[in-house]
Amino acid sequence: MMKALRFHGQRDIRLDDVEIPQCGRGQVKVKPAFVGICGTDLHEYLGGANIMPTTPHPITNEKVPLTLGHEFSGVIEEVGEDVHDIKVGARVTVQPIIYDGTCGACKEGFINCCDNNGFVGLSGWGGGLSEHVVVPRKAVYEIPNSVSMEVAALVEPLSVAWHAVNISPFKKGDSVLILGGGPIGLAVIQALKAKGAEKIIVSEIAPRRKEFAKKFGAHYVLDPTKDDVVTRVREICDGSGANVAFDAAGVQAGLDQAIQAIRARGTLVNIAIWEKTATITPNWLVFRERKYMGVATYQEGDFQDVLDAIASGRLKPESMITRKIQMDEVEEKGFKALIKDKDNHVKILIEVSP
């Protein structure tokens, strides 16, 4: 038996004893090292189950209670049959997308848009908050020697931002507005900096998150409770507005501001997972030929690109880590800290094994 932190229901997570998973053909067994707490984890804790299945998931055939943890690093401790290109002892980060490989989106290579998609740590197949987890070989990426296990646990959220910037029309020299200075917003700043952005504007209310935004490279930080965001963005961007905006907040007022703050033929990229239905005024898009697009997590290649960017020094995300805790402290010093004191934290890591 092994320990695993499992979600049982709203505000009900337990450190349970569960069976140790067996490593099969084409799989690897990983001993998790560090696990990040994601906003999705918090949403499930506070109001779930939402994303986590309460009826058997179409791919994993599992349902709540389920092991948490989808942002994690670890060490390979066993390889299954037909796995010859990675060895026991390799340090890895895990790309947690679960996909069927047979739907229309998967056949086109869009595994992040799978009709039946899920995530290790949310939909079954275990998760990072356990002593052992078994995943497909293709889900693990080796960590360069220069990258720590702690930083490797940040690759998943950084890949969300990397993918969003990649799939957007952003090009070097463009002006950019980012809504929200939380973990994803800060990751977008870093991805943009790595790709040569020279005018990054962030809209954020919380004082500490404003500081983080400046630290990670934002050139302008606006407070939507004090600044007229639309007017200020246009002023900063030579009267025309931003070329591209990224919504990492998911708030109606911010959506309205962002659409009006982008220039003619500009693009608003939605990264946020919305808790409520939003409304859009189509004429704001039509009369300026603006575009509104959604992005979903990441695709094959993004994890490796992020690891390469960290190893080369183009991404320096270490200071995103604001606290490290143990498995038996997750609820009090992890989830509750992020709920009650989220403005002073970016990413809390759980040390599963040293």
Side-chain angles (χ1 to χ4, degrees), residues 116-170:
N116 296 305
N117 77 336
F119 293 85
V120 174
L122 286 170
S123 313
W125 292 359
L129 286 173
S130 61
E131 294 177 308
H132 313 276
V133 62
V134 169
V135 296
R137 160 63 186 96
K138 60 190 173 186
V140 299
Y141 290 77
E142 288 198 63
I143 303 167
N145 291 334
S146 60
V147 178
S148 70
M149 294 293 260
E150 292 95 328
V151 167
L154 302 176
V155 170
E156 197 273 351
L158 288 167
S159 294
V160 171
W162 193 269
H163 176 66
V165 174
N166 266 356
I167 203 171
S168 80
F170 168 80

Side-chain angles (χ1 to χ4, degrees), residues 29 142 147 155 198 217 251 253 287 301 331:
K29 184 186 283 186
E142 288 198 63
V147 178
V155 170
E198 297 168 358
V251 177
F287 292 126
E331 187 163 24

